[in-house]
Amino acid sequence: MFGRKGNYSTLEGDGQSHKDSSQNKKVAVVIFAGLCVVILLVVIAVPVIIVTNTHEKHANDNPGLQCPEAELERIDCFPEKDGKVNKSACHKRGCCWVDGEPVRAPYCYFPASYGYTVKSVNDTDAGLSIHLNKSDSLLPYREPVLQLQIQVYYETDYRLRVKISDPNNKRYEVPFDHDDATEKAKNPIYSFKLLGTKVGDYFSFSITRPSTNTIIFNSKTGLVFSDQYIQIATDLASKYIYGIGEHVGNLSLDINWNTISLFSRDQSPEGNYNVYGVHPFYLSMEPDGNAHGFFLLNSNAMDFVLQPTPALTIRTIGGILDMYFFLGPSPAQVVQQYTELIGRPYFPPYWALGYHLCRWGYRSANNTREVVERMRDMLIPQVLTGTVPF
């Protein structure tokens, strides 16, 4: 019996061993499953962290990059309306990106410091000469101009000219019979201030009316100067701005993310379309009732983009930025100063003050002759103008 008992004892011990082994296997399975979960989380989380850090780094790889937080302060860095704007494409331009669903404000917008830095500043007999270098920031379009020259002319007491051009390559300029000023105005009612005066500072300038400290123009972030894309932006003195023709709309322009295109074409006057004339000029009313004007001497296709800051972004596809500022201070004086520069309207001949008849759709020369004869038969002095087709 001893032997059976011993055998029994041996079998009892083996049973305990199998039980411990089973528990160990369960623990091992649990540990293995836990490790798998951890590895899975790492596999998922690490790329997300890397991508996030990469994007953050890419968005902040310009020195001193700061992204405006206010929606109304955003200057569009991706104006193409082809649906290709996304975070990756935005960051490749060195611009800021915001997730979400803004109704009108851009997703991709310029940082606070962008574009060009100051190389040198020199006084001239007529004002200032400033040379700029392209900064390390990326520019949205190909063939950026690497160096710029800013010429500031204090032309008269009420007119200031700021000309931004490429000093190394001749670019198209509108043929314009206007001599550059050779001396500074004696008592200007405006003040030009360069906001970055040291070598390496980001370029920006402001124009103010010292009598009221009203800002007339301040070149906000986003000065871009490429071969076929030029852009400058500014805050506006108020929401009351007029001009930027030719288009159909209200006298006071809508500033709620409103793009006004200037490109002369034969378009019937309807909707917010660019039509026959191009007048890159606006008149702005200031909070205290003073007025000032702005004129861009450029004949390329361009956009004036108004936003409710209130602010304005000007884009054009060629030429230079040749800007004139008229300080008024009354609206009538602004218009007088503007026409003094570009030329007064000609005095019309006496016959031009009569009745004019014009329409689209004269079918033939005979049809047109019949209309003229009916007017003569009724003794109505008239000038008849025909347009296509005829």
Side-chain angles (χ1 to χ4, degrees):
M1 290 185 61
F2 179 82
R4 290 175 62 112
K5 184 177 181 181
N7 289 339
Y8 179 78
S9 299
T10 303
L11 291 174
E12 186 178 27
D14 288 343
Q16 183 65 37
S17 175
H18 282 299
K19 184 177 180 181
D20 293 342
S21 176
S22 176
Q23 290 177 347
N24 290 338
K25 287 181 179 180
K26 290 181 180 180
V27 171
V29 169
V30 171
I31 293 174
F32 178 76
L35 288 174
C36 289
V37 172
V38 171
I39 292 171
L40 182 62
L41 290 175
V42 169
V43 169
I44 295 174
V46 168
V48 172
I49 294 172
I50 291 174
V51 170
T52 303
N53 289 340
T54 300
H55 283 173
E56 290 177 355
K57 181 179 184 298
H58 196 75
N60 293 279
D61 55 9
N62 294 334
L65 180 67
Q66 295 180 343
C67 296
E69 295 183 2
E71 183 175 291
L72 298 184
E73 293 291 333
R74 299 177 193 166
I75 304 299
D76 197 350
C77 185
F78 216 110
E80 301 95 318
K81 305 304 180 187
D82 56 7
K84 294 181 180 179
V85 58
N86 54 57
K87 183 182 291 187
S88 176
C90 179
H91 286 169
K92 287 180 180 179
R93 295 187 173 187
C95 289
C96 303
W97 174 266
V98 61
D99 291 310
E101 297 292 335
V103 179
R104 305 288 292 276
Y107 294 90
C108 182
Y109 55 100
F110 285 96
S113 298
Y114 196 94
Y116 290 84
T117 58
V118 176
K119 178 183 178 182
S120 66
V121 182
N122 296 290
D123 289 318
T124 65
D125 292 339
L128 290 171
S129 178
I130 307 163
H131 284 82
L132 308 179
N133 286 329
K134 179 186 170 298
S135 70
D136 293 334
S137 58
L138 301 173
L139 291 184
Y141 296 94
R142 294 177 296 176
E143 301 182 53
V145 176
L146 302 181
Q147 295 180 324
L148 292 176
Q149 181 178 17
I150 320 296
Q151 295 165 283
V152 183
Y153 299 98
Y154 295 73
E155 293 200 330
T156 70
D157 288 345
Y158 48 80
R159 186 176 74 225
L160 175 71
R161 180 187 184 190
V162 179
K163 182 179 179 181
I164 305 179
S165 60
D166 181 350
N168 301 314
N169 297 287
K170 180 66 176 176
R171 297 177 61 86
Y172 179 77
E173 298 183 32
V174 178
F176 187 47
D177 187 15
H178 176 69
D179 295 329
D180 294 340
T182 56
E183 61 180 12
K184 292 181 181 179
K186 304 301 182 184
N187 300 294
I189 60 174
Y190 50 80
S191 173
F192 177 92
K193 183 178 181 181
L194 186 63
L195 302 182
T197 57
K198 298 179 181 178
V199 174
D201 285 350
Y202 272 94
F203 168 73
S204 182
F205 71 89
S206 68
I207 299 169
T208 59
R209 188 188 299 276
S211 61
T212 60
N213 292 322
T214 301
I215 295 177
I216 306 301
F217 194 97
N218 67 334
S219 62
K220 297 174 62 125
T221 180
L223 173 61
V224 179
F225 208 114
S226 298
D227 182 46
Q228 294 186 341
Y229 186 91
I230 303 171
Q231 173 180 294
I232 194 168
T234 179
D235 284 322
L236 294 171
S238 76
K239 66 179 182 179
Y240 301 106
I241 180 172
Y242 311 86
I244 316 178
E246 186 177 19
H247 62 274
V248 178
N250 295 330
L251 177 62
S252 180
L253 299 177
D254 177 15
I255 64 168
N256 188 27
W257 306 105
N258 179 26
T259 298
I260 301 173
S261 296
L262 299 185
F263 189 69
S264 182
R265 64 172 180 167
D266 185 10
Q267 164 71 39
S268 58
E270 58 184 0
N272 189 28
Y273 298 113
N274 46 301
V275 288
Y276 297 96
V278 172
H279 303 276
F281 166 84
Y282 69 76
L283 184 149
S284 176
M285 295 301 300
E286 300 165 26
D288 52 16
N290 287 328
H292 66 267
F294 169 90
F295 170 56
L296 174 61
L297 183 59
N298 185 303
S299 61
N300 290 268
M302 64 184 80
D303 283 341
F304 280 64
V305 184
L306 295 162
Q307 63 189 70
T309 315
L312 168 69
T313 302
I314 302 170
R315 309 183 190 120
T316 184
I317 61 172
I320 65 171
L321 293 175
D322 198 356
M323 301 174 286
Y324 292 82
F325 303 87
F326 311 95
L327 272 292
S330 71
Q333 288 172 309
V334 169
V335 174
Q336 291 169 1
Q337 293 158 12
Y338 173 50
T339 58
E340 177 187 32
L341 175 70
I342 67 169
R344 308 289 190 191
Y346 70 90
F347 192 80
Y350 183 72
W351 62 265
L353 302 176
Y355 181 73
H356 287 252
L357 181 64
C358 177
R359 60 162 292 182
W360 180 90
Y362 291 114
R363 296 183 298 276
S364 65
N366 288 335
N367 176 226
T368 306
R369 186 181 297 110
E370 291 172 0
V371 173
V372 172
E373 289 174 352
R374 285 201 305 270
M375 299 291 288
R376 288 175 176 172
D377 290 342
M378 290 182 284
L379 302 178
I380 299 177
Q382 45 77 31
V383 175
L384 185 142
T385 304
T387 185
V388 293
F390 61 86

